Every structure is written in structure tokens, then in C-alpha cells.
Amino acid sequence: MIQACNVTYRVGKKALFEDVNIKFTEGNCYGLIGANGAGKSTFLKILSGALETTNGEIVITPGQRLSVLEQDHFKYDSYPVMDVVIMGNARLYEIMKEKEAIYAKEDFTDEDGIRASELEGEFAEMDGWDAETNAAMLLNGLGIESDLHYSMMSDLNGSQKVKVLLAKALFGNPDILLLDEPTNHLDLDAIAWLEEFLIDFENTVIVVSHDRYFLNKVCTHTADIDYGKIQLYAGNYDFWYESSQLLVKQMKEANKKKEEKIKELQEFISRFSANASKSKQATSRKRALEKIELDDIKPSSRKYPYIDFRPDREIGNEVLTVENLTKTINGEKVLDHISFILGHDDKVAFVGGNELAKTTLFKILMGELEPDEGSFKWGVTTSQAYFPKDSTDEFNNDLTIADWLMGYSPVDDITYVRGFLGRMLFAGEDGVKKVKVLSGGEKVRCLLSKMMISGANCLILDEPTNHLDMESITALNNGLIKFPGVELFACHDHQFVQTTANRIMEILPNGTLVDKITTYDEYLASDEMARKRTVYTANAEEDEA
């Protein structure tokens, strides 16, 4: 059990949290939700002890071990992958290293023997002999192949490092598990594995995530942060949404009835307060009127951008033809004779664990990379807008937001440009902020403004939901659902893919393509996917053996 007791946390004079009381108990998974800036990550840091409260305290059941998903992807570059995972249980790792140091001594003393015996006993009690096997199972489940388990962390790419840090947090059956955006940079297979792991996890989990499907799948409770308070709901994200909307509706209806009663009493008092025969009744109604209090309904701090992609021209029947595209990067063939034809109604989700392959294909289609072999051709009626996975170069300048977007506007009118920025929640003085100082979420909203203002009828988006809050993801999801043009996108948000795509393309590890006109859920349930997953599981079990 972990509990916040009268917790207040101030940043300067502003109280981010005030008098928060909440208890998280064993056997439950709590989804911590709230708008960007509400303090979700800050509250996790308070729970973990990384930040001290201004007032109040965090209470943890004595003897329980708390584990946190770390965010510094370079912290362990000088360590082997296996060591990093086992570090998730700090005491077990200390014992292993102390044992190694003792047994490595050339002048092994009686005292060393006694100490080694003590360590061996504690090591066995902590299931130390199975530590590497358990760590390997976590790594395999998250998609880290066995030949990387003893590599140095510095040899791994960013996505692989994220998975290792997640395995470290999960290792050793912690009593309390704090996860801040655990699905970021995970492929859909790894997310599915993590969902099952957390569903089966018997201790306490508190998770922050912008993935609605993930929260619905794993959470037993939802903790909503709004206006510095935390309201606990029993149920997953959808249950919270329905319950919170119902609560506001009921409060509004109750207020409406009270307002009608107030009006009725006021009219009676006004008509009969001077009437001697009715004066007692008027006085009685005055007392009743004074007792009526309207419920204070605060508007939510959540803000939804308005995302609406409107193509300047209707798209024709010939959209895109791709023939035998092949590309090798750093000795790895990421695309192997990829071929497909797109029609004017296609909304294609590219899935699979090979992130580089998807990004490479998108860059080729946008003319940023040349294929080694093959060709592609866009239809004459098409125009493209691109959301890159890495937009660093896009914002490496001294332009203001307004001037930056002005450079992409077909209309030379600052008022026209500010209209698009306003839709994306950049209001007033926000327009004069320099783009190079924007947060990750703000940069994403800028890029989406650029895509909207382009009027393109073909959209290519490479992981657009990264860095967005739940409200912006919902707005983008809805915007793409109603977009009348063609879409090609990669995204790790299950609900986003399921509700947007009508065609699924998976680039397999060998660079070939599986292409199905179906929804994402139907694709996952297909015999082909079941066969692939069976092969994957068998390989993992073979590696484990």
C-alpha cells in the first residue's frame, strides 16, 4: 500500500497539489490521468520520493519495495543489458556484485567464506539463481532478442533502451510499481505483452499513459487530476469518462431544479412580503431560499484542440503506386521489394516492430531518401503533407511560431495563420514564442497546424501521438476519422489504429510486406497473425531453454 496524506506541493507560490489524500492498495492498477501540466509525472515523482512535498507525507507499508520506470535512456550505457535489468532489485544486484568480488579474491580468508555463506543464503531467499532467467523472460517478452541480453547498453538503439528500462522496473516482482508513459516507443506487440503482464500482476501499479486502449485494458481504477485535486474512480478510463460526464450532467440538472425553485420562491416573496395575511409564509420562504445552495461546477482544466484536415482538391482514382522498393541501411535490408497500390479511400496503418522500416518507407515516399531498387509514383491529383518522427531540424531556428507557420501558408495573411494556431491552442502571446523553445507536445501541435494549412489530400504521419496529451490524441483521432483523403500512418495507440485504419500493412523483420484490407483488431485475430505469434513464442521458449 502507498498513500498520500494531506499532500501539498508548491512551485513558487502556485500550488500544483493541495491537501491531496489518496490510497493505492494491493491488487489494483490505477490509471493517473489529467491534462498536460496537471502534474501527473510530478505526482509520480512525489510518490517515489524523487520530490519532497511542501506539506503532508507519503506513507508506504513497511518492508515493501517500490520500483520506478526511469526516463534517462543513457544512464546505464556503461553496463551490460542483463545487469541493468537485475538492478531493478537493488539489493539482489548488490549481493551478486559482492559475491563476485569475494570469489575473485586470490587470498580468500575465513572471514570471506563466512560472508560468502551469508550472501549465498540471502541470494537463494531472493530467488537469485533464477534472476537471469527471469530477466531474460522480461526482455524476450518486450522484444529484446536473446543475442542482445549481454550486450552493452550503449550498443542498443533508443527503442531498445526504453524496453530494457521497462524490464528493469518490472524485474523482481516489486510491491509497488510506478510507470510513467510505459508504452512510449514500444511496438504494438510489446504493448500487448505489457498489457497481459500488468493484468496478471498481483501488487500495486500506478501508471500514467496517453494510450486509451492500454488504460482501458489494464486499469481497475482511475485517479483524475484536475485543479490540484485527485478524484478516485473505480473502473477504467472509459468508465471514468462516462462517470465524470454523468456527474456533471446530474449536477447541472440539480442546479436547474434549484434555480427553478429559487425563482418560484423569489416571485412569492416579491408578491406577498407586504401582504399581512401572507407575511408568515413569505418569511418562511425567505428562510427556505437562504438554505438553497447551487453546486459549484468547475469547468475541467482539459482543453481540446480543433483538428480538421480539409483538402483543397478532391483526390482522383490514381493515388500511389509502389513497385519493388528495396532499401538497405547500415547493412540491414529494412525494405525488401515492397509493392502496393493505394486507392482514394485507403487509410493505411503501418504496423510491426521494425520502426526503422516504416520511417524509411515514409521518407522515400516524401523524397527525402532514395531507394536502392524499385520505384513509386504519386497520382497527378495528389498533394502530400508529412509528419516526421524526428522534427529536430524543423524547429532549429529563431522564428516565432507565427512566422514559422507563415512560411508554409498559401495565404499571406497573419490573421489567417493565427486562426490555425488558435485551433491548436496557441492563443494570444503564444504566437510570439520561439519555436526552438517549445515543448514536445507544442512542436507536435505546430506540425499538425502545418499539415492543416497545407490543404493536402494525402497525409503521411510517423508516430504523431508521441508527446501529445489524451485530449490532443482524441482530437487528432477524430480529425483523421473524418478526413476525406488518403492516410498512411504509423502509431502505437491501439484505439487510434483500430478506429482510423481500414487497411493494415505490416513490414516484417525481413523487410517484406503483409497487406490486408481489414481493421486492426480483425488483423490481430487473423490466422496469419496467430501463426506468427506462435512462432515468436516458440522461439522465445527455445531461447529461454
Side-chain angles (χ1 to χ4, degrees):
M1 181 274 293
I2 183 169
Q3 183 176 5
C5 302
N6 298 314
V7 166
T8 296
Y9 181 77
R10 296 183 182 279
V11 180
K13 294 182 178 180
K14 180 185 176 183
L16 194 57
F17 300 105
E18 195 152 25
D19 297 326
V20 169
N21 289 281
I22 189 168
K23 181 188 291 186
F24 303 98
T25 57
E26 185 176 329
N28 293 312
C29 179
Y30 299 84
L32 191 62
I33 64 171
N36 263 5
K40 299 182 295 293
S41 295
T42 299
F43 190 68
L44 282 188
K45 289 177 182 177
I46 291 171
L47 291 176
S48 71
L51 287 176
E52 291 188 7
T53 63
T54 306
N55 291 304
E57 61 178 345
I58 302 299
V59 178
I60 298 177
T61 301
Q64 291 200 334
R65 184 169 69 85
L66 183 147
S67 184
V68 180
L69 173 58
E70 297 181 74
Q71 304 295 323
D72 185 350
H73 302 165
F74 305 99
K75 181 178 178 179
Y76 299 100
D77 274 1
S78 60
Y79 293 90
V81 168
M82 184 60 68
D83 278 28
V84 173
V85 177
I86 296 174
M87 284 179 193
N89 188 331
R91 179 54 188 157
L92 178 60
Y93 185 72
E94 288 173 5
I95 292 171
M96 290 176 64
K97 290 301 156 183
E98 188 175 350
K99 279 174 51 184
E100 289 176 9
I102 291 175
Y103 291 138
K105 287 184 176 181
E106 294 182 2
D107 52 342
F108 192 86
T109 66
D110 291 342
E111 288 78 7
D112 290 330
I114 294 170
R115 180 56 180 162
S117 178
E118 293 172 349
L119 292 173
E120 291 290 5
E122 190 175 355
F123 184 73
E125 287 178 5
M126 299 182 73
D127 200 22
W129 296 110
D130 291 326
E132 292 194 9
T133 300
N134 294 334
M137 289 175 64
L138 293 172
L139 291 168
N140 286 333
L142 289 166
I144 300 294
E145 297 177 1
S146 298
D147 58 359
L148 294 176
H149 291 187
Y150 293 91
S151 300
M152 298 300 292
M153 284 287 285
S154 57
D155 295 332
L156 272 56
N157 62 36
S159 177
Q160 291 168 334
K161 288 180 180 180
V162 169
K163 291 179 177 181
V164 174
L165 291 179
L166 180 53
K168 175 180 180 290
L170 303 178
F171 178 76
N173 195 36
D175 300 291
I176 301 163
L177 183 56
L178 306 182
L179 302 175
D180 192 355
E181 297 294 355
T183 62
N184 276 4
H185 308 293
L186 293 188
D187 55 80
L188 290 163
D189 282 336
I191 293 173
W193 179 89
L194 179 60
E195 287 168 357
E196 295 304 318
F197 181 94
L198 294 179
I199 289 169
D200 294 335
F201 191 71
E202 296 180 350
N203 298 331
T204 305
V205 183
I206 306 171
V207 58
V208 171
S209 176
H210 291 145
D211 188 327
R212 297 158 294 172
Y213 181 91
F214 177 79
L215 291 176
N216 281 329
K217 193 82 180 286
V218 305
C219 292
T220 61
H221 294 72
T222 300
D224 178 33
I225 303 179
D226 213 352
Y227 291 103
K229 303 293 183 182
I230 303 181
Q231 180 70 39
L232 188 61
Y233 295 79
N236 62 17
Y237 177 80
D238 280 350
F239 182 84
W240 160 81
Y241 183 79
E242 292 170 6
S243 299
S244 59
Q245 295 296 106
L246 179 61
L247 180 61
V248 171
K249 181 181 178 182
Q250 290 173 338
M251 291 173 69
K252 286 181 177 178
E253 289 175 351
N255 274 356
K256 185 178 180 181
K257 290 180 179 178
K258 289 178 183 178
E259 287 168 351
E260 290 173 352
K261 186 65 176 177
I262 288 171
K263 184 178 179 182
E264 177 187 325
L265 292 173
Q266 287 175 334
E267 287 177 351
F268 186 93
I269 293 167
S270 177
R271 287 176 60 193
F272 299 111
S273 59
N275 188 320
S277 64
K278 299 279 189 178
S279 62
K280 286 186 178 181
Q281 295 179 42
T283 301
S284 176
R285 282 166 171 72
K286 281 182 181 179
R287 293 195 189 101
L289 181 62
E290 290 170 356
K291 292 178 181 179
I292 297 177
E293 292 184 5
L294 295 177
D295 292 321
D296 182 19
I297 305 176
K298 279 189 175 181
S300 173
S301 59
R302 292 173 171 82
K303 294 182 180 179
Y304 290 82
Y306 179 70
I307 299 179
D308 186 19
F309 302 102
R310 296 183 182 180
D312 291 337
R313 66 183 297 184
E314 188 175 345
I315 200 165
N317 290 326
E318 294 184 5
V319 179
L320 175 65
T321 301
V322 174
E323 295 183 349
N324 295 315
L325 279 187
T326 300
K327 184 68 176 179
T328 298
I329 295 179
N330 297 328
E332 177 187 356
K333 185 173 282 189
V334 295
L335 301 175
D336 188 4
H337 294 90
I338 298 291
S339 297
F340 59 86
I341 297 174
L342 294 189
H344 56 72
D345 294 322
D346 282 333
K347 297 181 187 293
V348 186
F350 286 83
V351 302
N354 195 336
E355 305 294 313
L356 180 59
K358 289 176 276 189
T359 296
T360 300
L361 176 61
F362 291 160
K363 286 185 174 181
I364 289 174
L365 296 179
M366 289 304 298
E368 294 185 5
L369 280 178
E370 289 291 328
D372 298 334
E373 299 178 43
S375 63
F376 68 93
K377 182 180 180 181
W378 289 101
V380 294
T381 62
T382 66
S383 55
Q384 298 81 38
Y386 178 44
F387 183 102
K389 189 172 186 177
D390 182 0
S391 59
T392 305
D393 293 341
E394 184 80 64
F395 298 101
N396 189 21
N397 57 69
D398 288 319
L399 294 175
T400 65
I401 296 176
D403 289 339
W404 175 85
L405 187 58
M406 192 72 166
Y408 298 104
S409 175
V411 178
D412 188 18
D413 181 357
I414 192 64
T415 303
Y416 177 77
V417 168
R418 286 187 180 276
F420 282 89
L421 292 175
R423 296 178 191 175
M424 297 306 293
L425 308 181
F426 293 109
E429 296 300 313
D430 287 339
V432 300
K433 287 176 69 173
K434 297 291 183 73
V435 293
K436 65 182 179 182
V437 301
L438 297 179
S439 68
E442 288 173 326
K443 288 177 180 178
V444 170
R445 286 189 276 123
C446 279
L447 290 171
L448 293 174
S449 298
K450 174 186 170 184
M451 296 183 78
M452 284 193 290
I453 209 169
S454 73
N457 54 25
C458 294
L459 306 179
I460 299 179
L461 304 101
D462 195 356
E463 301 296 348
T465 61
N466 287 355
H467 308 295
L468 287 183
D469 59 19
M470 198 87 74
E471 294 70 44
S472 297
I473 290 173
T474 300
L476 176 58
N477 195 172
N478 292 337
L480 290 178
I481 288 172
K482 67 181 182 181
F483 176 62
V486 168
E487 300 165 14
L488 300 86
F489 66 93
C491 180
H492 292 154
D493 186 310
H494 186 120
Q495 186 169 335
F496 191 98
V497 176
Q498 169 60 20
T499 55
T500 305
N502 57 23
R503 187 172 176 180
I504 304 295
M505 295 189 188
E506 180 177 11
I507 303 178
L508 301 177
N510 62 5
T512 59
L513 186 73
V514 176
D515 180 6
K516 296 287 183 180
I517 299 176
T518 182
T519 67
Y520 182 58
D521 282 347
E522 291 169 343
Y523 185 69
L524 290 178
S526 69
D527 291 339
E528 183 174 8
M529 287 299 292
R531 177 182 58 76
K532 284 170 52 189
R533 292 177 189 283
T534 300
V535 171
Y536 176 80
T537 303
N539 289 341
E541 290 174 351
E542 183 179 316
D543 292 337
E544 182 184 333

